[in-house]
Amino acid sequence: PPGFVESSCRSRIFWMKLNKLFLQGKFFQLEIYDPYAGPVLLDEKLASRCGYVLSEDVWGNPVFRASVLGCHVANEADELFSLTVNIKVSSFSSMRAAVTYTYPMYCSYPSWDSREIVCEENYMEVSVKTDVPAVSNDYTVAWMSALPETQNVAYQQWQLMFVSPSGRKRITVSNAVKLGYSFNNTLSRVYLRAPYHSNESDVSVVSGVNMNMVTSTSMYRQRWLLLLIDTTVSCPVDGISFTDTTLTWTVPSVIPTLVVQESTFLSKNIVMGVDDQVIVNPEEKNYLVEHNETHIRVTIPIGAEGGKLKSSVSGGVYGVIYSIDLFLEHTWTDAGWQTTKYTVIKSITTPFMPQIPTVINNTVPEERLFNVAFGHFLPDVSLVAIAIGNVPFTPREAQYHGLKVYETLFSNRTKGFILEVSFDDPYVLKEHVNRNETKYTLLVNYTLSVGTEMTLYYHAAEVEYVIADIELPEAVGYCDEENLYLTLPTFGLHQYWDLYLGNTLLNRHVALTNGYLAATNSTHLILQIPMFAVGVTYEEVSFQKIKARFDVVLRKVRTMETLQMFSISCQFNSSEFIICHPDGTIMISAQMKTVPAIDMSKTKLRDSSCKPREYNEAHAFFKFHVTTCGTSVRFEGDHIIYENEISYEKETLPAQSIPTITRDPDYKLTVLCYYQAKETLVLGAFVSDSATSPPFGSGTVAPRSNTAAYRRVRQALNVVSRVAKDESFMEFHDPNMAILKRSVEPVFLEVELKDESPNVELYLENCWVTRSLDFNSTPRWNITVDG
């Protein structure tokens, strides 16, 4: 069929190429048509003996080459040559039902040189003109050793004598054929074809290149004629070297076994080519051809035009292999042979070269879109599957899911695969970092099909991008006569952050337990906090007036890092209340409803010296600590109960008379405060004027010694203080290291009494911070004063 077969004739060699597209999924064989014996199936043994080569070019197309001196080539006067090949194609490996295509080839080669040598992939061939004088005046050892053997040459019969390190061997042509050789003569030439590494061959090193050499003499005797012809042939078997970017092919310039007198050697012409085409200007293709007295060197850049890069996988690593089919033709003259044309055909393939693919992050944050390029790959690589966050997709499924997957071409003739994924895709990992940033992480696993073998290659990639796309909520607070209100947006709540009351997560259960009312709409959370609810801090308490504050902390969901603190502070007018402060301070505003009315200035606590701090006709305000004013303490379950009472000191007239006369009624009001027996209290310390005050918390924190405790309580107590890194009190600073804090940062201080006696309590009366271990040094910043 048209386009199936291409052929040419290049330097006494038939070239035929089959288009692989016509052979996909099929099997083929070649038959060489013999004009006398008919078709002969081509196999490896026949190929090397008869001057045939069947291989593939770098593109995978079958290539057949044949010498014009091949076994079945029709020869017309050593000028016109023809060869017919049968191409059999079948869909079955047994070649049944095969279709046969007969293809004749023709070659004109009238200009033979005195000696021509061809070094093919599987054979070496030398042909010489028979009119060349048989023996020169300068006899070589090989020629001299051949002379005695000529006496035994059969009449009118060619014989061959091989000289090797193991000795001399004289055999007939028919026996040489059995050893894999081919010898014949044409109208004007004699040729010998030899396989590589035969028993009669030898290996020598010439200019650093290993050469396979067959030293032979062809002998013919007829009546008074004795013809001796030198049919020695030598071909390179290596000479290939590689770097990361180039391959180099080296061939010796002068081969001693082929040049009788090296002093007369003269290089006439050097031609290189790719496939069957001569490269006239190698530098245009970035090829480099160098020639000096010892060698000819051809350097080809990896990936250069004329060759082929092929993808491969080795040990789970992606890489490339470069192949190119070269030939080199060197023509020289010397005194012994006039002109020699030396042709070497070489298929070169580099070792596996790892090419680790790269992932290029072209993410467009403004569009909230990951754009990831994965390359660089040769055209023989295709994307089979892609997994996002361990969820696999075929390219078509990825498009259906909303992902964009497509190929892109790079300037160096490679390609890559572009993946576009939205930041908001459910398979993209999201993490709230810093204060208002989100870290988006795209985990990708690529599955690629590599090369014609379709080997699977896997590559995992991780792409991250951090963007400030979180708007921290702003809260609004207000109050009515009895409640504080806090309103804040619900966006991001429970997704990025949570609300905490101290160290307690403020959820619906806690809100209900503490007496809060929580309501939400589509955009906001509204929190109602009664004035006397748990969690309310009383900043100022005076007669009939309370300044109350409610604090909630905004913390990250995962790390519990504090992002922001919301506070609402209001003043309330209240005539009756009791406040049990966390530091043990009790504040009471009592309304005395008695008939007749009593003098509120004469009310007192158990300790009669504890009088009201403020009073009027109907109210009295007391403020005292649980350790003073006759306050008693008892334990019930997991609570500590402090108890005192407000009573009225009656007036009597006269004081010494009996009976006593008074108009004052009896009055007694019991005051109870309940505290958790085990509770962590977090207190913040702030500097009112940072411009004039030194930085708070700069220095080394050290616990007071037992000696100081002994002087105060007449008993040695084991007291330990530590500074925690955050409000969780899980990690603590090294007590011997300085701690630097800004003036508005809280210090998380823990003071612990390590005493197992049930009758001992810890009362932290005074606590302050200094810059040195000397407790009396200045400056000094107070944390608590008088408890």
Side-chain angles (χ1 to χ4, degrees):
F4 178 36
V5 183
E6 294 180 14
S7 65
S8 64
C9 176
R10 166 64 199 163
S11 186
R12 60 182 290 266
I13 294 178
F14 292 102
W15 298 69
M16 182 178 74
K17 180 172 69 175
L18 307 182
N19 192 329
K20 66 178 181 180
L21 297 178
F22 291 88
L23 298 174
Q24 286 184 349
K26 297 181 180 180
F27 303 88
F28 79 96
Q29 289 180 343
L30 294 186
E31 291 179 339
I32 310 300
Y33 184 77
D34 189 324
Y36 305 102
V40 179
L41 182 64
L42 178 64
D43 57 24
E44 291 185 8
K45 187 175 181 180
L46 177 70
S48 62
R49 182 175 62 83
C50 287
Y52 307 139
V53 174
L54 180 61
S55 62
E56 287 186 352
D57 65 11
V58 297
W59 310 105
N61 299 300
V63 172
F64 171 73
R65 292 192 299 272
S67 169
V68 295
L69 299 177
C71 297
H72 310 94
V73 176
N75 184 342
E76 296 183 21
D78 285 341
E79 294 184 358
L80 297 176
F81 305 88
S82 61
L83 177 66
T84 301
V85 179
N86 291 335
I87 307 166
K88 302 180 68 175
V89 181
S90 174
S91 298
F92 307 96
S93 59
S94 63
M95 297 305 295
R96 62 184 177 90
V99 177
T100 302
Y101 302 96
T102 300
Y103 191 82
M105 293 184 289
Y106 304 94
C107 193
S108 174
Y109 192 67
S111 302
W112 289 87
D113 288 306
S114 300
R115 178 174 61 176
E116 298 200 3
I117 296 175
V118 174
C119 299
E120 257 286 10
E121 293 183 22
N122 58 343
Y123 69 85
M124 303 180 289
E125 181 182 273
V126 55
S127 71
V128 298
K129 286 185 177 181
T130 53
D131 59 356
V132 175
V135 180
S136 67
N137 293 328
D138 298 321
Y139 294 162
T140 64
V141 175
W143 281 96
M144 293 299 293
S145 62
L147 290 177
E149 300 292 336
T150 60
Q151 303 301 324
N152 300 319
V153 174
Y155 181 65
Q156 290 187 338
Q157 181 177 347
W158 284 98
Q159 292 192 10
L160 302 174
M161 188 189 74
F162 296 99
V163 179
S164 66
S166 60
R168 297 191 304 272
K169 179 189 295 186
R170 180 172 56 84
I171 58 176
T172 63
V173 172
S174 58
N175 288 332
V177 170
K178 295 178 183 179
L179 297 177
Y181 295 92
S182 180
F183 177 85
N184 209 339
N185 66 302
T186 64
L187 182 64
S188 60
R189 305 188 71 82
V190 170
Y191 67 85
L192 172 69
R193 192 176 301 114
Y196 285 95
H197 307 297
S198 65
N199 291 333
E200 294 74 31
S201 67
D202 189 17
V203 176
S204 62
V205 178
V206 180
S207 298
V209 179
N210 286 319
M211 306 290 292
N212 193 240
M213 174 180 60
V214 174
T215 303
S216 65
T217 302
S218 303
M219 301 177 291
Y220 181 79
R221 181 182 177 191
Q222 185 179 18
R223 295 185 179 179
W224 59 85
L225 175 66
L226 177 63
L227 184 62
L228 300 179
I229 300 178
D230 183 3
T231 48
T232 296
V233 62
S234 180
C235 289
V237 293
D238 55 19
I240 308 298
S241 61
F242 305 97
T243 68
D244 292 339
T245 57
T246 61
L247 65 85
T248 300
W249 179 27
T250 302
V251 176
S253 294
V254 180
I255 304 169
T257 56
L258 302 180
V259 179
V260 176
Q261 299 180 44
E262 291 188 26
S263 60
T264 63
F265 174 86
L266 179 63
S267 177
K268 303 292 289 186
N269 189 36
I270 296 175
V271 174
M272 71 152 294
V274 176
D275 295 326
D276 60 342
Q277 301 296 317
V278 173
I279 306 300
V280 179
N281 297 308
E283 62 277 1
E284 292 181 359
K285 298 182 179 293
N286 294 321
Y287 302 163
L288 178 63
V289 180
E290 300 173 283
H291 176 220
N292 58 28
E293 295 179 355
T294 59
H295 61 261
I296 303 168
R297 179 170 295 156
V298 179
T299 302
I300 307 291
I302 301 296
E305 180 184 353
K308 181 187 178 184
L309 278 170
K310 171 187 174 183
S311 298
S312 183
V313 177
S314 177
V317 177
Y318 173 78
V320 297
I321 296 172
Y322 179 70
S323 300
I324 190 169
D325 295 331
L326 301 176
F327 72 82
L328 185 69
E329 193 173 87
H330 184 198
T331 303
W332 74 77
T333 61
D334 64 88
W337 282 100
Q338 298 179 13
T339 303
T340 298
K341 180 183 288 185
Y342 187 80
T343 303
V344 184
I345 299 175
K346 193 74 172 180
S347 294
I348 302 174
T349 298
T350 67
F352 175 80
M353 297 177 291
Q355 302 282 327
I356 306 302
T358 57
V359 175
I360 305 171
N361 185 3
N362 297 319
T363 296
V364 184
E366 295 79 9
E367 300 179 8
R368 297 181 60 80
L369 188 69
F370 279 111
N371 183 294
V372 182
F374 181 45
H376 296 244
F377 295 102
L378 298 178
D380 59 357
V381 175
S382 60
L383 182 65
V384 175
I386 189 169
I388 309 297
N390 296 324
V391 179
F393 299 97
T394 64
R396 178 174 295 181
E397 291 171 342
Q399 300 285 358
Y400 180 79
H401 179 70
L403 309 175
K404 286 187 178 180
V405 183
Y406 55 93
E407 291 186 2
T408 185
L409 297 178
F410 298 116
S411 58
N412 60 354
R413 295 183 298 172
T414 62
K415 71 177 182 179
F417 302 97
I418 305 295
L419 171 65
E420 293 184 0
V421 184
S422 170
F423 283 3
D424 303 312
D425 190 280
Y427 298 120
V428 173
L429 302 181
K430 305 168 185 67
E431 180 183 358
H432 182 197
V433 296
N434 303 323
R435 285 182 57 82
N436 63 335
E437 295 177 326
T438 304
K439 180 171 74 173
Y440 297 92
T441 303
L442 179 65
L443 301 177
V444 188
N445 284 280
Y446 297 90
T447 301
L448 304 177
S449 175
V450 177
T452 56
E453 299 83 3
M454 304 179 71
T455 306
L456 293 182
Y457 170 71
Y458 306 94
H459 188 90
E462 179 176 332
V463 181
E464 294 181 352
Y465 205 92
V466 178
I467 184 172
D469 60 352
I470 299 176
E471 183 177 353
L472 293 179
E474 294 292 335
V476 176
Y478 57 94
C479 299
D480 60 17
E481 294 181 353
E482 297 180 347
N483 302 283
L484 301 94
Y485 295 89
L486 195 66
T487 303
L488 71 158
T490 55
F491 170 77
L493 192 61
H494 309 311
Q495 178 185 4
Y496 300 121
W497 46 67
D498 282 317
L499 289 177
Y500 277 78
L501 187 63
N503 290 325
T504 303
L505 176 65
L506 184 55
N507 52 28
R508 290 190 175 273
H509 173 72
V510 172
L512 184 63
T513 302
N514 291 353
Y516 310 156
L517 291 178
T520 57
N521 56 26
S522 59
T523 60
H524 285 78
L525 166 69
I526 303 172
L527 201 61
Q528 174 185 306
I529 306 99
M531 178 178 60
F532 293 112
V534 176
V536 176
T537 301
Y538 304 98
E539 297 179 310
E540 295 180 16
V541 180
S542 60
F543 188 53
Q544 295 184 328
K545 183 188 294 184
I546 299 175
K547 185 178 181 182
R549 189 185 78 243
F550 182 73
D551 300 327
V552 288
V553 180
L554 196 69
R555 294 181 178 173
K556 287 185 181 179
V557 170
R558 293 183 59 187
T559 65
M560 291 186 61
E561 177 187 347
T562 298
L563 297 173
Q564 203 160 337
M565 178 179 288
F566 300 124
S567 295
I568 172 66
S569 180
C570 296
Q571 289 190 356
F572 296 91
N573 296 321
S574 179
S575 59
E576 290 183 290
F577 58 82
I578 178 171
I579 298 175
C580 304
H581 201 272
D583 65 359
T585 301
I586 300 176
M587 292 168 284
I588 307 167
S589 178
Q591 183 178 12
M592 311 305 186
K593 297 179 180 180
T594 63
V595 178
I598 61 175
D599 185 356
M600 302 306 295
S601 65
K602 295 181 180 180
T603 56
K604 63 180 180 64
L605 297 176
R606 283 177 178 171
D607 185 342
S608 59
S609 64
C610 295
K611 298 290 187 177
R613 297 202 176 189
E614 296 180 68
Y615 60 89
N616 61 15
E617 293 180 356
H619 295 82
F621 175 70
F622 293 87
K623 180 179 180 180
F624 60 97
H625 196 270
V626 293
T627 60
T628 62
C629 297
T631 306
S632 62
V633 61
R634 69 179 185 270
F635 292 86
E636 288 187 8
D638 58 351
H639 284 83
I640 303 174
I641 303 175
Y642 293 93
E643 181 178 334
N644 209 320
E645 61 183 23
I646 303 173
S647 62
Y648 174 67
E649 185 178 351
K650 295 181 180 181
E651 290 186 359
T652 59
L653 294 173
Q656 289 82 16
S657 64
I658 298 175
T660 301
I661 300 173
T662 179
R663 61 187 298 276
D664 295 333
D666 287 332
Y667 181 83
K668 182 180 293 186
L669 178 65
T670 302
V671 179
L672 299 175
C673 275
Y674 291 77
Y675 289 90
Q676 290 284 341
K678 295 181 178 179
E679 184 177 22
T680 299
L681 177 62
V682 180
L683 296 176
F686 301 92
V687 176
S688 59
D689 187 0
S690 59
T692 59
S693 303
F696 175 73
S698 177
T700 301
V701 176
R704 290 186 69 101
S705 66
N706 288 338
T707 304
Y710 177 78
R711 290 199 300 266
R712 291 180 58 83
V713 299
R714 304 293 181 180
Q715 182 182 355
L717 298 178
N718 186 9
V719 179
V720 177
S721 65
R722 299 187 294 177
V723 176
K725 293 183 177 180
D726 55 35
E727 60 268 36
S728 66
F729 286 90
M730 300 298 292
E731 296 185 48
F732 295 87
H733 290 287
D734 187 337
N736 298 315
M737 297 293 291
I739 305 168
L740 182 63
K741 293 281 187 179
R742 295 194 299 269
S743 60
V744 295
E745 288 188 276
V747 175
F748 303 101
L749 177 64
E750 177 187 270
V751 181
E752 182 180 4
L753 174 62
K754 292 184 175 293
D755 196 303
E756 298 180 358
S757 173
N759 299 320
V760 177
E761 297 180 37
L762 175 64
Y763 169 55
L764 190 62
E765 183 180 31
N766 295 295
C767 182
W768 66 92
V769 177
T770 63
R771 286 182 172 176
S772 68
L773 293 177
D774 183 1
F775 296 134
N776 297 318
S777 65
T778 56
R780 164 174 165 167
W781 297 275
N782 292 323
I783 296 179
T784 62
V785 179
D786 295 332

